[in-house]
Amino acid sequence: MSEEARGNSKRSHPRHRYRAMAHDNAHAAAAAQPPTSLPDHPLVPREPAILITAPDDLATLIEHIKTVGSFAYDSEFIGEMSYFPKLCLLQVATRQRVALVDPLADLDLTSFWELVCDPKVEKIVHAGQQDLEPVIRILGKSPTNLFDTQIAAGFMALSYPPALSKLARHLLGVHMGKGFTFTHWDQRPLTSVQLRYAADDVRFLPAIRDIMGKRLEELGHAAWVTEESESLADRTRYEFDRETDYLKLRGVGSMAPQSLAIVRELMHWRDEGSREADLPPRSFLRDEVLIELARRPVKEVTDLKRIKGLPKPVEDRHGQAIVDATKKAMTLPPNQWPAVKANDESPAEKFKIDALWASAQGWCMGRSIDPAIVVGRQDLSNFYRLLNSGQSLDEHRLMRGWRREAVGDLLVNLVRGKGAMHVQWEAGAMQSTPVQPANKT
């Protein structure tokens, strides 16, 4: 398919029409809202954002950032129409200025991506995983010196994960307007409403980071926030992994081993097919159709007609590839099938795991940490079973890095009867401290 034909096809796609409708509705509502009232804070720049479309202006901005040594950034993109999201705008804020960089103005952004990887310059983001993805993909390097304000909130007695608007209201008294869920960020020229909302997404981050940093130092959690923020630069977050990604599909937990082998192979085929079609994998073929193909394996292309929800274009163009992937998985010997993990908990085991889960939650909250950023209930179930099986705990995420220091060792000692904790309500908040259990006589 030619690039022009592909572009016309995408513009007629239902998702494109939905975005257009949502764009019009959002702009009508946003235009009626007054601009965000700026707080009297020395770290909130008050000047209007500068729109950067020329290489010289981008170079000037980068030199400014290197001089001040810290900047906030965000990005606007369209993700539902292509395999890799289409980057449409970069928002940048230092303590002195706000700038909007236009990637669609034929700018070479290499120097900006290099800046994101510069260890001497701090990058402030909010829920920054998607903002970091282009850096890793384009440069093949990992960003460093990161501070994620959404992550930081989970370490300072704030509910995790918070929206930026809630953080701005809580920490700065700023009432930000409702952001755009869908808008045509690739339209040019951008409207004044788009520019205003894009600027506000970064304008307050340097001040928020400063307030958070002081509180985190008081709590002794600053190093933990740095470690968790830096984990956003782990390249495995952004790469397709054929050995594990299929486990994220809803419904695989109840599948037989051979069916898991089929869905694993089909997931790999789908990733390659969606790259070729330049579509998000789930737009190319829905997850539930993959599950159906694994549960009702097809041996001939004609069998695909009985698979509900399989798009006709996919059937016509990729039918033989689906059959080949299915046959490849079905011919694997049983020792190459994915292992089925037994997740059923007995009533007695469930009660004990729930008790440990409640203890972990109380301990975390008593240390101003939201449990949601530490461990989930299923992860804790696996942890408890490993602990009671006598197997090594070293590879479990609760026993690595800051999680081990903050929670992991305490839970191990608690289960083994070598430790205890004291929880009390003090100064309007829960406080928890470790204690040694009394020696039994």
Side-chain angles (χ1 to χ4, degrees):
M1 181 183 290
S2 69
E3 289 299 321
E4 181 180 2
R6 182 178 286 130
N8 290 335
S9 173
K10 288 187 176 183
R11 282 190 290 275
S12 65
H13 194 280
R15 289 177 181 269
H16 184 87
R17 295 196 295 272
Y18 175 80
R19 177 177 285 276
M21 181 177 65
H23 169 96
D24 293 340
N25 292 339
H27 278 250
Q33 295 182 10
T36 302
S37 179
L38 301 182
D40 185 17
H41 193 288
L43 303 185
V44 176
R46 308 190 69 82
E47 297 299 317
I50 302 169
L51 182 61
I52 292 179
T53 59
D56 289 348
D57 293 336
L58 177 60
T60 299
L61 174 65
I62 290 174
E63 284 305 311
H64 165 69
I65 292 171
K66 288 180 178 179
T67 299
V68 299
S70 176
F71 74 103
Y73 97 94
D74 188 23
S75 59
E76 303 296 347
F77 49 84
I78 297 176
E80 74 272 15
M81 300 300 294
S82 55
Y83 184 85
F84 293 115
K86 180 182 180 181
L87 181 64
C88 300
L89 194 67
L90 288 170
Q91 303 108 287
V92 175
T94 67
R95 300 179 177 193
Q96 294 81 19
R97 67 182 72 166
V98 180
L100 306 177
V101 181
D102 187 0
L104 305 185
D106 199 26
L107 288 173
D108 182 355
L109 296 176
T110 302
S111 57
F112 182 82
W113 301 137
E114 293 282 3
L115 188 68
V116 177
C117 296
D118 188 342
K120 298 189 293 294
V121 178
E122 181 187 58
K123 279 68 65 174
I124 307 165
V125 294
H126 182 86
Q129 182 164 322
Q130 289 180 312
D131 306 306
L132 299 172
E133 184 274 334
V135 188
I136 295 170
R137 170 166 45 90
I138 294 169
L139 289 188
K141 296 181 180 179
S142 294
T144 187
N145 197 352
L146 305 171
F147 185 97
D148 191 306
T149 54
Q150 187 176 76
I151 286 174
F155 290 85
M156 46 183 287
L158 298 176
S159 180
Y160 173 85
L164 176 60
S165 59
K166 290 188 176 181
L167 281 184
R169 184 164 61 250
H170 176 71
L171 298 176
L172 291 171
V174 171
H175 292 268
M176 297 174 62
K178 185 178 180 181
F180 293 123
T181 302
F182 287 99
T183 188
H184 284 303
W185 286 113
D186 58 346
Q187 75 170 12
R188 294 296 182 273
L190 292 166
T191 68
S192 59
V193 173
Q194 285 176 311
L195 295 173
R196 185 206 330 163
Y197 275 78
D200 284 351
D201 276 346
V202 291
R203 186 183 298 276
F204 308 107
L205 285 177
I208 289 173
R209 190 266 181 267
D210 184 72
I211 294 169
M212 285 182 149
K214 293 173 182 176
R215 178 58 178 152
L216 291 168
E217 290 291 346
E218 293 172 359
L219 292 168
H221 297 170
W224 295 349
V225 171
T226 296
E227 183 182 335
E228 188 65 13
S229 295
E230 294 284 343
S231 74
L232 295 176
D234 183 351
R235 295 182 63 173
T236 61
R237 287 176 176 259
Y238 309 95
E239 299 171 347
F240 176 75
D241 186 344
R242 65 175 297 167
E243 297 302 324
T244 60
D245 278 8
Y246 72 97
L247 295 172
K248 301 173 186 177
L249 297 176
R250 178 176 295 181
V252 297
S254 61
M255 296 178 75
Q258 189 176 48
S259 295
L260 287 175
I262 296 172
V263 80
R264 178 179 62 187
E265 195 63 37
L266 288 173
M267 188 97 161
H268 182 226
W269 159 78
R270 183 180 74 168
D271 184 72
E272 292 182 338
S274 58
R275 282 178 186 253
E276 178 189 342
D278 192 26
L279 286 170
R282 288 182 175 86
S283 295
F284 179 71
L285 188 68
R286 300 197 315 272
D287 289 352
E288 52 266 36
V289 180
L290 272 186
I291 296 295
E292 181 71 4
L293 284 165
R295 289 185 172 173
R296 303 176 66 192
V298 293
K299 297 180 180 179
E300 303 292 342
V301 173
T302 53
D303 295 339
L304 291 170
K305 297 186 182 301
R306 60 179 166 81
I307 301 299
K308 184 179 179 181
L310 180 66
K312 190 67 166 60
V314 174
E315 179 183 340
D316 292 343
R317 183 175 176 83
H318 301 275
Q320 189 59 53
I322 294 173
V323 173
D324 292 344
T326 303
K327 287 182 176 179
K328 180 180 177 181
M330 292 185 72
T331 56
L332 290 174
N335 64 355
Q336 293 183 30
W337 295 346
V340 177
K341 295 182 179 179
N343 292 320
D344 289 341
E345 299 169 358
S346 69
E349 193 175 40
K350 183 180 183 303
F351 185 89
K352 293 174 182 177
I353 294 170
D354 283 343
L356 187 62
W357 174 229
S359 300
Q361 289 179 302
W363 172 254
C364 289
M365 290 181 172
R367 302 197 72 185
S368 300
I369 303 172
D370 190 314
I373 204 169
V374 182
V375 66
R377 170 62 171 73
Q378 185 57 55
D379 247 0
L380 196 70
S381 175
N382 297 335
F383 174 79
Y384 177 82
R385 290 180 171 186
L386 278 175
L387 187 57
N388 281 292
S389 71
Q391 299 179 55
S392 173
L393 293 167
D394 291 344
E395 294 305 311
H396 194 280
R397 68 196 302 255
L398 262 181
M399 298 303 289
R400 300 198 306 267
W402 70 265
R403 286 180 174 82
R404 179 169 190 160
E405 182 182 353
V407 181
D409 284 335
L410 181 281
L411 294 181
V412 170
N413 290 334
L414 192 66
V415 173
R416 291 177 174 170
K418 297 180 180 179
M421 64 179 180
H422 176 77
V423 178
Q424 65 182 31
W425 202 267
E426 183 179 313
M430 184 181 288
Q431 306 288 332
S432 59
T433 54
V435 295
Q436 294 296 323
N439 292 328
K440 296 180 180 179
T441 56

